[in-house]
Amino acid sequence: MIDQIRETISRLLSLFRRDSLDRELDEELTAHIELATEENLQRGLSPEEARRQALVRLGGVQQATERQRESRGLPRLESLLQDVRYALRALRRSPGFASVAIVTLALGIGANTAIFTLINAVMLRSLPVTKPSELWNLGDDRFGGGGGGFVDDVSAYSYRGYEYLRDNTSEFSNLAAFQAGKIDLSVRRSGDPRPAEHHFGKLVSGNYFQTFGVSALVGRALVPEDDRPGAPPVAVMSYRAWHDRFASDRSVIGAVFTLRGVAVTIVGVTPPGFFGETLQVDPPDFWIPLHVGPLLNPENPQLNRWNDFWLYAIGRVRSGVQIPALQAHVTTEWQHWLSDNYSDPRYRRNIHKQHIVVTPAASGVSWMRDNYRSGLRLLLVVSALVLLIACANIANLLLARGTANRTQTAMRVALGASHLRIMQQSVIEGLVLALLGGIAGVWIAIATSRLILALAFRGADYVPITSSPSWPVLGFAFLISLIAGLVCSVAPAWLASTVPPADPMRGGARSTPESSALPQKSLMVLQAALSLVLLVGAGLLTESLRHLERQSFGFDTNGRLMVSVSPPTQYPPERLPEFYRRLEESLTRIPGVEDASYSLYGPMDFNGWSEPVSINGQEIVKPLEHGKWPWENRVSANYFLTVGTRILRGRAIDKHDLPDSAHVAVVNQAFARTFFPNQEAIGRHFGVEEPAHSGDYEIVGISEDTKYANAQNDADPMFFLPILQEEGKYLDTAQASEQLATHYLGSIQLRVNGQPEQFEPAVRRVLNDVDPDLIITAMRSFSQQIELNLTYNQMIARLTTLYGLLALALACVGLYGLSAYSVARRVHEIAIRMALGADRARVVTMIVRGAMTLVAIGLVIGVPVALASGKIIASQLFEVKTNDPLALGAAVIVLSACALAAAAIPARRAASVDPMQALRNE
């Protein structure tokens, strides 16, 4: 084994000493020939015969040289390098062919690499933490459900429940908890006279950074001692906030910041690249211990409620622990904890159904993974089809190139080159082309990735995804370059190796058989079929997006300004009426503001509040489809007028619905249909949560159905309550706290006379005058707000259209190339036809007919494939059928028209052939 390694190393090193070894070999052979010649002279031979006999005994100088080279080097590697050098020389001699081929492959490879960049970041990349493979979720990676803790697969926990699992599962070296979402923070450095700024924060357990194995870049990370009752409030700042907002000022460490009115000391800064456990837009800028949460939000003390399930958990599993056994253990412990805390028979009978699924957390929590999975897969398929069309184009070019070089190839075969050697050289040329295309494709991918990120996350201030190529992305680009090179070169290589040596050498170009064009025609049919599939898909998605944008949402977006704010939890409940009065009066005094309202959340503003309801003294109604409860919203007077939602029957909530007046509600049509089918809903009563509250609210109006969360789904059942009216007391403290939280506004709506964007400065001044700690988190026109909700659909539709047009362009280039090659190959035939009386129109018709016949065959194949492929994107469509005749017809017309234009140019060139000149050249 050692000798073999030494021999291999010696052979490899000889490649770098080839010139000196050749000189030494020449000297040795020369000396050997001279010695043999001298011996022959001594035997009485003449000088000429003596030298001839010496050469005969040696076996020939060139042959001996080759044998010696093979014995000292790596023949296969040398042959490979020789083919690479030959391919590069050939491409340099044909710059036009090389440029077209490299650009075509670069577009296909770049399109695929760009999509993979996003897939790698969203679905494959691990967290930038220590040994991410040791991290496991207590719950599935969707992290959904958990309301009340009573869902089959548990993902959310109360703080008391988390403590119990942390202290009773020794399989974890650390088990960290963190809130599901983010919290809005008003942030001001102590002593800074400037207004407070808006930042996002996250409440985490004290062992959060220890669990992830993340140390602070500056200062220190949170430790368990920071998360104790009575501990001084501290926080860790993100590197991005430290670098961008505070210019990497080290004095930030130890400084006191006011977060939501609470003095908090900054103890450290996270390392660059750390964005927390969740890949999301605008990640947290501050990580705060859980025990500081009640200070930030005194009206919602979730930490102290054992049955408020708001925390998620990730743990680092000890070495040697079996995951199935861990899953069974944590499930048992959770059921024990529920048994010890729940006494209500309605809940106890379902405790045995509670189950904790332990799932890998190397990638952390990614809502992007769930939201973008199907779309990214679709785009990957689309980009793969684009690459396949590009490969077909290059294969056609290589076939044409091989046909033009048939005489040279035949001569090589006649001189002894093997079929395998001919194939190897052709494949190497294709691989060299593909690798050069891959290098250019990486640059295209960088630009395309930036475009995709801008489309996918429009409206976000920051996304922790970079378009810069990483090693996995570069590896992917290299891999698909090799695959593309093989795909586009194997067929031309095989055809080149099967050329009979005698045929091309008899008659030059005129002897090229018609059958040699069959592979090229087949590839052209494939390109036309695949292009049609992509164009139909792009048409369906574009039509779906048009329906989404033009549908009736249930409100009027003209002249509306939507302002999202951080809930003013610094106000106790008894001060809210006065605060809301001052707010409304100040806003309506702005010139041009016709109406102002406020609510718990606004339409299509990425927020919502879902609650179980009790009807007419019954038990709590069952969840609706997909486990959802009806949506609850707290609104002010004039709300429906301001957002432009019609009241169909009864009345809207108005200024007379005060805390001490009769409690009323407005429901939408979906709510009335769901809970009062074939009955009059007005005058009926219902309540939130407990059956004892089923008479809390009387329905006084029915509004039209409106879409508040998802533009693609039907409107959900929804009820609206006056923001100032409070319910009776709840026995359950968690329910009481939740209802109290609904009285804090999160959205302000303005109906203005003019362009909504023009009112932004005045609104900011007014809100700052009313309360400087009322932080604006977003301000945009209603139309912009709806458009942001369609960002995902717009990204899919526009990228699919872009890739479809790219496929169309490649197919047309391929058809043009095939037609041009056909004209060049048939110059002799065309000249004879024209000499015998054929006019130019007939020649043009002949060339165009041949090209369009191929396109027609591609359409015949592509139409059923497109119809079948429509089922793949059915989930992405809105009010569009997969067999939509408009999309199919438009795709056929566009492809046919472009193909006709591509074929017409070579056809006109064919018609301009001078018969006498062409025949003379032949």
Side-chain angles (χ1 to χ4, degrees):
M1 183 66 179
I2 296 178
D3 292 338
Q4 292 177 348
I5 294 176
R6 288 176 178 172
E7 182 182 358
T8 301
I9 294 175
S10 175
R11 287 173 176 267
L12 186 62
L13 291 175
S14 69
L15 297 177
F16 301 97
R17 301 177 54 238
R18 184 169 181 173
D19 292 341
S20 62
L21 291 176
D22 284 346
R23 287 195 298 271
E24 294 175 3
L25 178 60
D26 288 342
E27 293 173 359
E28 183 178 347
L29 289 176
T30 300
H32 179 79
I33 292 172
E34 291 177 353
L35 180 60
T37 301
E38 184 64 28
E39 291 179 355
N40 290 336
L41 288 173
Q42 293 177 359
R43 290 166 50 197
L45 298 178
S46 65
E48 293 81 6
E49 183 64 18
R51 181 171 179 80
R52 191 186 72 80
Q53 290 289 343
L55 291 173
V56 169
R57 190 170 70 178
L58 180 63
V61 175
Q62 189 63 35
Q63 291 84 348
T65 301
E66 291 299 326
R67 288 195 300 271
Q68 184 63 26
R69 285 175 178 172
E70 290 181 3
S71 66
R72 79 185 184 206
L74 297 170
R76 292 183 180 178
L77 180 59
E78 292 184 68
S79 173
L80 179 65
L81 294 175
Q82 183 181 22
D83 286 342
V84 171
R85 290 193 293 268
Y86 178 82
L88 291 173
R89 288 198 301 271
L91 294 177
R92 190 168 60 247
R93 288 196 300 268
S94 305
F97 164 79
S99 300
V100 172
I102 291 173
V103 170
T104 300
L105 284 170
L107 291 172
I109 294 170
N112 281 264
T113 305
I115 298 300
F116 180 79
T117 300
L118 194 57
I119 289 177
N120 178 62
V122 173
M123 302 178 66
L124 304 178
R125 189 174 66 179
S126 296
L127 292 174
V129 300
T130 303
K131 296 181 180 179
S133 61
E134 295 180 356
L135 298 174
W136 290 80
N137 295 321
L138 283 190
D140 59 41
D141 60 2
R142 293 172 299 167
F143 278 75
F150 278 83
V151 290
D152 289 345
D153 291 332
V154 181
S155 295
Y157 309 89
S158 68
Y159 180 71
R160 301 304 180 197
Y162 154 70
E163 281 188 315
Y164 181 86
L165 291 177
R166 181 195 64 193
D167 297 338
N168 290 277
T169 49
S170 58
E171 294 90 342
F172 290 107
S173 59
N174 264 307
L175 181 63
F178 47 92
Q179 66 176 133
K182 302 173 292 186
I183 55 175
D184 294 304
L185 297 174
S186 58
V187 179
R188 181 189 294 112
R189 187 171 182 174
S190 295
D192 191 339
R194 292 176 296 180
E197 295 181 342
H198 173 251
H199 289 264
F200 289 111
K202 182 177 280 283
L203 297 173
V204 299
S205 59
N207 63 350
Y208 177 85
F209 289 96
Q210 291 180 356
T211 300
F212 288 104
V214 174
S215 301
L217 175 70
V218 182
R220 66 171 178 85
L222 298 179
V223 295
E225 289 70 25
D226 296 321
D227 193 22
R228 299 272 192 261
V234 297
V236 169
M237 183 184 293
S238 71
Y239 174 83
R240 175 173 166 268
W242 181 61
H243 180 270
D244 295 349
R245 303 288 183 91
F246 300 100
S248 301
D249 183 3
R250 287 181 174 266
S251 68
V252 165
I253 309 303
V256 176
F257 281 67
T258 302
L259 310 182
R260 275 196 180 183
V262 178
V264 175
T265 302
I266 304 301
V267 296
V269 175
T270 62
F274 180 75
F275 51 80
E277 82 297 324
T278 304
L279 180 63
Q280 59 187 324
V281 298
D282 299 326
D285 287 327
F286 294 88
W287 285 269
I288 307 162
L290 291 173
H291 275 84
V292 181
L295 300 177
L296 298 175
N297 192 2
E299 302 302 325
N300 191 19
Q302 293 173 300
L303 200 67
N304 301 321
R305 295 196 300 267
W306 63 270
N307 59 345
D308 194 349
F309 298 86
W310 62 292
L311 294 174
Y312 299 144
I314 286 181
R316 185 174 292 276
V317 176
R318 298 183 189 276
S319 177
V321 172
Q322 299 298 314
I323 299 303
L326 170 61
Q327 184 167 285
H329 182 205
V330 294
T331 295
T332 300
E333 293 294 343
W334 181 247
Q335 292 176 354
H336 287 168
W337 183 82
L338 292 174
S339 298
D340 291 341
N341 287 278
Y342 274 95
S343 58
D344 191 325
R346 293 179 302 166
Y347 295 111
R348 291 187 64 85
R349 61 173 173 257
N350 292 318
I351 286 178
H352 70 281
K353 298 180 181 179
Q354 308 309 297
H355 181 71
I356 296 178
V357 180
V358 179
T359 57
S363 300
V365 182
S366 176
W367 63 267
M368 290 185 190
R369 188 184 306 122
D370 297 324
N371 292 346
Y372 285 80
R373 179 182 283 116
S374 60
L376 289 177
R377 287 175 178 172
L378 172 62
L379 291 176
L380 188 61
V381 171
V382 169
S383 61
L385 293 180
V386 171
L387 180 59
L388 188 57
I389 293 172
C391 289
N393 248 344
I394 303 305
N396 259 335
L397 289 174
L398 291 175
L399 282 169
R401 185 180 174 85
T403 302
N405 294 332
R406 292 175 78 246
T407 302
Q408 178 185 351
T409 303
M411 187 172 295
R412 294 180 63 194
V413 173
L415 292 175
S418 66
H419 293 300
L420 184 62
R421 189 71 179 81
I422 297 295
M423 284 189 66
Q424 175 182 309
Q425 192 238 310
S426 297
V427 170
I428 291 300
E429 182 177 6
L431 289 174
V432 169
L433 272 175
L435 290 175
L436 292 175
I439 294 172
V442 170
W443 295 105
I444 293 177
I446 294 174
T448 308
S449 298
R450 291 172 181 165
L451 171 64
I452 294 175
L453 290 175
L455 288 174
F457 307 112
R458 193 157 47 93
D461 291 332
Y462 172 68
V463 183
I465 297 176
T466 176
S467 59
S468 301
S470 59
W471 286 113
V473 171
L474 292 176
F476 175 82
F478 177 74
L479 178 62
I480 63 169
S481 297
L482 291 180
I483 294 174
L486 290 174
V487 168
C488 67
S489 64
V490 167
W494 182 79
L495 290 174
S497 69
T498 58
V499 174
D503 287 355
M505 303 177 70
R506 287 197 192 103
R510 283 176 297 173
S511 66
T512 303
E514 179 67 23
S515 60
S516 66
L518 182 60
Q520 292 175 283
K521 293 180 178 180
S522 301
L523 290 172
M524 190 60 245
V525 169
L526 175 65
Q527 290 184 67
L530 293 180
S531 298
L532 180 68
V533 172
L534 292 180
L535 288 174
V536 171
L540 290 173
L541 290 167
T542 301
E543 183 71 6
S544 173
L545 178 62
R546 188 177 68 84
H547 285 305
L548 272 172
E549 292 173 336
R550 297 183 180 180
Q551 68 174 305
S552 173
F553 288 90
F555 30 71
D556 186 357
T557 62
N558 294 323
R560 266 74 177 183
L561 182 66
M562 313 302 284
V563 185
S564 297
V565 299
S566 178
T569 53
Q570 65 269 25
Y571 290 92
E574 59 272 13
R575 290 185 56 195
L576 286 178
E578 174 60 22
F579 169 72
Y580 289 153
R581 185 191 61 79
R582 288 190 295 111
L583 177 66
E584 186 172 357
E585 289 178 353
S586 300
L587 289 172
T588 52
R589 282 199 296 264
I590 298 176
V593 173
E594 298 181 348
D595 288 295
S597 62
Y598 45 91
S599 59
L600 175 62
Y601 59 92
M604 309 295 284
D605 71 353
F606 307 99
N607 284 308
W609 196 285
S610 182
E611 291 279 16
V613 297
S614 301
I615 305 291
N616 295 337
Q618 302 172 7
E619 287 194 4
I620 296 176
V621 298
K622 294 181 179 179
L624 306 175
E625 187 181 1
H626 307 304
K628 296 186 296 186
W629 301 105
W631 294 98
E632 172 189 355
N633 199 0
R634 294 277 185 171
V635 302
S636 70
N638 295 327
Y639 174 79
F640 294 97
L641 175 63
T642 306
V643 300
T645 296
R646 295 177 299 153
I647 299 297
L648 303 179
R649 296 199 303 279
R651 69 173 179 87
I653 293 170
D654 59 33
K655 61 182 180 180
H656 301 293
D657 296 318
L658 302 173
D660 55 354
S661 62
H663 287 194
V664 299
V666 171
V667 301
N668 68 351
Q669 293 170 285
F671 188 99
R673 286 194 304 268
T674 301
F675 298 108
F676 306 103
N678 303 317
Q679 302 175 49
E680 177 55 65
I682 293 180
R684 303 294 293 271
H685 290 75
F686 72 95
V688 178
E689 293 278 2
E690 298 173 356
H693 288 266
S694 60
D696 279 357
Y697 295 99
E698 178 184 349
I699 299 174
V700 296
I702 298 177
S703 71
E704 63 180 314
D705 282 339
T706 52
K707 295 190 175 185
Y708 271 68
N710 192 319
Q712 277 189 277
N713 297 339
D714 294 334
D716 293 314
M718 189 168 187
F719 59 95
F720 303 85
L721 307 176
I723 198 167
L724 293 176
Q725 290 188 346
E726 298 183 18
E727 309 79 358
K729 297 300 182 181
Y730 282 85
L731 298 177
D732 188 298
T733 56
Q735 295 173 3
S737 177
E738 287 178 3
Q739 286 306 304
L740 181 60
T742 64
H743 295 278
Y744 288 87
L745 68 85
S747 175
I748 298 172
Q749 306 85 32
L750 300 175
R751 186 165 67 96
V752 299
N753 183 13
Q755 293 297 322
E757 295 82 359
Q758 297 175 354
F759 290 82
E760 182 173 340
V763 172
R764 290 188 180 276
R765 286 194 300 270
V766 166
L767 293 182
N768 186 65
D769 291 340
V770 172
D771 187 345
D773 288 325
L774 186 64
I775 300 301
I776 298 173
T777 60
M779 187 183 304
R780 56 181 72 96
S781 71
F782 206 171
S783 299
Q784 291 174 331
Q785 189 152 296
I786 292 178
E787 190 175 354
L788 287 178
N789 279 267
L790 304 177
T791 293
Y792 171 79
N793 306 88
Q794 291 172 342
M795 177 194 73
I796 298 298
R798 289 171 182 173
L799 286 179
T800 305
T801 301
L802 176 63
Y803 282 16
L805 293 176
L806 177 59
L808 176 64
L810 292 175
C812 290
V813 169
L815 183 63
Y816 168 80
L818 179 60
S819 300
Y821 168 70
S822 176
V823 169
R825 186 172 57 83
R826 300 173 64 182
V827 167
H828 181 72
E829 174 195 344
I830 294 171
I832 292 176
R833 286 176 180 269
M834 296 183 70
L836 294 176
D839 58 15
R840 293 188 174 186
R842 184 171 297 179
V843 172
V844 170
T845 301
M846 177 185 68
I847 299 300
V848 171
R849 185 193 306 118
M852 295 308 294
T853 299
L854 299 179
V855 174
I857 297 173
L859 293 177
V860 171
I861 297 174
V863 166
V865 174
L867 293 176
S869 301
K871 297 178 181 178
I872 299 176
I873 63 173
S875 62
Q876 309 282 337
L877 302 179
F878 177 75
E879 295 184 355
V880 177
K881 296 181 179 179
T882 57
N883 60 349
D884 182 64
L886 180 62
L888 184 61
V892 170
I893 292 173
V894 169
L895 179 58
S896 301
C898 292
L900 181 62
I905 299 175
R908 292 187 60 187
R909 187 178 303 155
S912 64
V913 169
D914 183 349
M916 298 304 297
Q917 183 66 34
L919 293 173
R920 188 180 299 115
N921 290 339
E922 286 291 326

